[in-house]
Amino acid sequence: GAVVSQHPSRVICKSGTSVKIECRSLDFQATTMFWYRQFPKQSLMLMATSNEGSKATYEQGVEKDKFLINHASLTLSTLTVTSAHPEDSSFYICSARDRSGGANEQFFGPGTRLTVL
Amino acid sequence: AQKVTQAQTEISVVEKEDVTLDCVYETRDTTYYLFWYKQPPSGELVFLIRRNSFDEQNEISGRYSWNFQKSTSSFNFTITASQVVDSAVYFCALSDSFSGSARQLTFGSGTQLTVLP
């Protein structure tokens, strides 16, 4: 099956620093990638949809200047949390849609646990 | 708008018992997809099943079975002879044409299943 990786799997940073999370589709090309955030004991909430070569579409309430998304290639999307604060601590999950796959087939990465001190 | 309801927040069963996780959805679309995912404590989402709205056949995969009832807008998930390793959070999700051009997933709030030895 299609594999999506995320790096790093876990990161701890100081308040005010920026953190970059990478999402890669390892064995397929992904024209669309999604970024989700999951707080403890809550569901996944879509943050943004990223299309290769174009600007990301952010969900209501998500600050695009704080959560920078770049999808420069068909296999890589990055999420940068700028000037991170403790309330940004969360589990960030990406997913990718196979360019050639059937409708609605999304493959999820293993997630990145961000802790901001 | 599309919506997925998982009314059961937490369920505890004793090993070898059968357990059913409920999922009720709302959509205006006639073409849509329903999913179930498992999220163990590690956090990585595990894909279990995808069902399109035109396929109402129930499905069985080992100890797992799914009951899709369009008349009641439900897509319930049953685990037979539960095992401790089944302990996880289970999410039901929906994707339809109103989910945006990228057909994003709308997740339910999840059901925490605990299987006691």
Side-chain angles (χ1 to χ4, degrees), chain A residues 38 43 46 91 97 103-105, chain B residues 33 39 50 95 102-103 108:
Chain A
Q38 185 181 30
S43 187
L46 180 67
F91 191 53
R97 173 165 293 137
N104 306 301
E105 193 72 68
Chain B
Y33 292 82
Q39 188 178 42
R50 179 184 68 181
S95 176
R103 300 181 75 96

Side-chain angles (χ1 to χ4, degrees), chain B residues 3 44-45 48 81 85-86 98 112 117:
Chain B
K3 184 179 178 182
E44 184 165 0
L45 280 177
L48 296 178
V85 293
D86 295 328
F98 295 99
Q112 169 71 60

Side-chain angles (χ1 to χ4, degrees), chain A residues 4 32 34 36 38 41-46 49 51 59 91 93 97 102-106 108-111 113, chain B residues 10 32-33 35 37 39 41-45 47 50 89 91 95-96 101-105 107-110 112:
Chain A
V4 175
T32 304
F34 303 90
Y36 297 85
Q38 185 181 30
K41 296 192 183 297
Q42 294 189 23
S43 187
L44 282 76
M45 298 302 297
L46 180 67
T49 302
N51 292 299
E59 296 299 302
F91 191 53
I93 306 173
R97 173 165 293 137
N104 306 301
E105 193 72 68
Q106 280 189 40
F108 285 84
R113 197 164 300 280
Chain B
E10 296 183 20
Y32 51 90
Y33 292 82
F35 302 78
Y37 291 90
Q39 188 178 42
S42 64
E44 184 165 0
L45 280 177
F47 169 81
R50 179 184 68 181
V89 180
F91 290 100
S95 176
D96 61 16
S101 59
R103 300 181 75 96
Q104 300 95 322
L105 290 171
F107 283 87
S109 55
Q112 169 71 60

Side-chain angles (χ1 to χ4, degrees), chain B residues 8-75:
Chain B
Q8 303 151 309
T9 306
E10 296 183 20
I11 300 177
S12 286
V13 298
V14 177
E15 204 169 21
K16 297 183 183 176
E17 286 184 356
D18 299 346
V19 58
T20 295
L21 309 182
D22 298 333
C23 174
V24 175
Y25 61 92
E26 293 177 29
T27 176
R28 291 177 290 164
D29 213 343
T30 55
T31 302
Y32 51 90
Y33 292 82
L34 294 163
F35 302 78
W36 275 97
Y37 291 90
K38 174 182 179 180
Q39 188 178 42
S42 64
E44 184 165 0
L45 280 177
V46 177
F47 169 81
L48 296 178
I49 190 171
R50 179 184 68 181
R51 174 54 50 87
N52 76 56
S53 52
F54 297 106
D55 182 3
E56 289 193 70
Q57 268 195 324
N58 291 327
E59 183 158 341
I60 298 175
S61 176
R63 296 185 296 109
Y64 296 169
S65 61
W66 291 268
N67 185 345
F68 180 27
Q69 299 269 352
K70 284 180 79 170
S71 59
T72 55
S73 297
S74 65
F75 186 42

